[in-house]
Amino acid sequence: MSVSDEVVLTGGPDAAMCPARGVLEHVTSRWGVLVLGVLLGGTHRFSEVRRAIGGVSEKMLAQTLQTLERDGFVRREAHPVIPPHVDYSLTGLGEEAARRVWALAQWTGEKIPEVMAAREAYDAAKSARA
């Protein structure tokens, strides 16, 4: 399916008010990709997700998890114990999304040498023009 076919079927992610834009933003955000990637490994508690990602604030992680839960990608299971115990896992939809965005993240990591070389060539050409 091409991008133009997608536009005909759903209004496409480039259509002004398309709901797909928001969902795409959630799964491809800086923290969304990483949360989905961590949860591909199985069920985790909040602190485990935070440790695995590193560098994310509690507030941002909570917001990201809540957004992904609202979109149907993440399942939140609160256990009635003291202290509170909450587990996060992927839904079927979340696993599908996670596999797709994680594949892109892995591809990006593999291509870093090429990207860095392209940046250096661009910067050198730009400096030469200036």
Side-chain angles (χ1 to χ4, degrees), residues 42-62:
T43 301
H44 293 282
R45 294 178 74 173
F46 183 91
S47 59
E48 293 170 334
V49 174
R50 187 164 184 230
R51 257 192 316 277
I53 291 174
V56 63
S57 69
E58 284 189 26
K59 179 182 177 184
M60 186 53 63
L61 179 56

Side-chain angles (χ1 to χ4, degrees), residues 66-114:
Q66 186 175 39
T67 298
L68 293 172
E69 180 185 7
R70 182 172 184 253
D71 286 345
F73 298 121
V74 169
R75 179 182 304 106
R76 179 183 186 275
E77 185 178 354
H79 302 280
V81 295
I82 296 177
H85 179 112
V86 179
D87 288 324
Y88 294 93
S89 60
L90 294 174
T91 63
L93 183 64
E95 186 172 336
E96 184 178 348
R99 289 193 187 287
R100 291 174 184 259
V101 298
W102 198 245
L104 178 60
Q106 289 176 312
W107 175 87
T108 303
E110 292 167 6
K111 298 300 177 181
I112 286 297
E114 292 174 53

